[in-house]
Amino acid sequence: MTKPLLQIALDALSLEKGAADAKQAESVVDIIEVGTILAFAEGMKAISTLRALHPNHIIVCDLKTTDGGAILAKMAFEAGADWLTVSAAAHPATKAACKKVADEFNAAHPELKVKKEIQIEIYGNWTLDDAKDWVELGVTQAIYHRSRDAELAGKGWTAEDVELMKKLSDLGIELSITGGIVPEDIHLFKEIKNAKAFIAGRALVGEKGQQTAEAIRAEINKYW
Amino acid sequence: MTKPLLQIALDALSLEKGAADAKQAESVVDIIEVGTILAFAEGMKAISTLRALHPNHIIVCDLKTTDGGAILAKMAFEAGADWLTVSAAAHPATKAACKKVADEFNAAHPELKVKKEIQIEIYGNWTLDDAKDWVELGVTQAIYHRSRDAELAGKGWTAEDVELMKKLSDLGIELSITGGIVPEDIHLFKEIKNAKAFIAGRALVGEKGQQTAEAIRAEINKYW
């Protein structure tokens, strides 16, 4: 059981704003994520720019890849992403294509300190049998979240969420947890053995960002 | 029953190539789609550029929106997209957020010849009850496809695909059909009343593109 990492999701509408947010947060986070909004606004330039600016952080490219897996994975990894999100709703062939690109990249670059990996982002109707298929494919990471829109609609974390996370964790899947995470939420997940990272966006940006990051770290240190 | 339109999906890795492909195909297609690959490679600049170059075509932005619906829909429509794809796997709140942005845009711009619309792109586990929810929300379009990766893995169109399309069509949903469409496939879909468009990518690009487009049109004219 390792200590969960802290990840900032950059959801700015422009690379200028995203890069500034990342610069401000770099000393308090382990992972910098080019969120879906920033990635779709600016394209792969967002990845390559953040990669260049933050050579020692893990960079996540949050495309929620749903199709065209081989091409998108190649594009994201070549731009400098370490981890790429793949939608749970993608066809199994898409997940396999992304995994294959990551494996080939790792084999060609044994010097990589951080291996290229895919993260299954859990959306849509899914079952634990699906999750077993991901493990079978060699996937080791998934992202569990409240959808941003569900969050905006006022949906909170439920006991059912935590139960599902425990079951995924028990399958050996490392979980990144996201969806309006604030320090007061961290204790909810203390029973998740394989908690890989907590992801926050707006909470880590702006004046109070550093303070919030420290508060989340303190909670993490309490429970892991 | 209207005649299905013809749509080119631009899946180039760069805007230069995508814009050139669109230029070559513009006289033979009704709809120009900035495909997921191009959109993720270049960001919203791909939409605004294609919009500027093709003011009289319908422009589709294929983000397969999975979260952050309100922001992504605003971004895509403001960049000039007429229609935006939304993943069937997205939370209902995400679909509703995208629909709301489209409706508000249309209300604010009664002069629009082509209304802003969302298209549910069918991915993941779904049921006809889900489809009824989409209709309930006011969605009128969906995209039915073989996934690109499934196609690459050799999976063909099945009788089950056609049956599901008929059921969706009977719910009043207009269907765009995609996945390696070639002229010889068109007859498979002749019983789909609400066939809105056939989408092809690579088949419409390059030397033989025009010829292929004409062959697809001829097949469409035979059956609709």
Side-chain angles (χ1 to χ4, degrees), chain B residues 23 32 42 54-55 136 142 162 204 217:
Chain B
K23 186 181 176 191
I32 295 172
E42 297 278 13
H54 303 284
E136 187 75 18
V162 176
L204 298 180
R217 291 270 191 206

Side-chain angles (χ1 to χ4, degrees), chain A residues 116-128:
Chain A
K116 306 292 183 191
E117 288 188 38
I118 66 169
Q119 301 179 296
I120 301 295
E121 189 147 7
I122 298 174
Y123 275 97
N125 305 328
W126 65 285
T127 66
L128 280 171

Side-chain angles (χ1 to χ4, degrees), chain A residues 13 36-37 40-44 63-64 66-69 71-72 75 89 91 93-94 97 123-125 130 147-150, chain B residues 13 36-37 40-44 63-64 66-69 71-72 75 89 91 93-94 97 123-125 130 147-150:
Chain A
L13 291 162
T36 313
I37 289 167
F40 291 8
E42 298 277 13
M44 284 300 118
L63 293 186
K64 309 191 199 306
T66 306
D67 207 345
I71 293 174
L72 289 177
M75 192 186 277
H91 191 278
T94 299
Y123 275 97
N125 305 328
D130 294 328
S147 108
R148 186 184 171 112
D149 295 304
Chain B
L13 290 162
T36 314
I37 290 167
F40 289 9
E42 297 278 13
M44 283 301 119
L63 293 187
K64 309 192 198 307
T66 307
D67 207 345
I71 293 174
L72 289 177
M75 192 186 277
H91 191 278
T94 299
Y123 275 97
N125 306 327
D130 294 328
S147 107
R148 187 186 169 108
D149 295 303

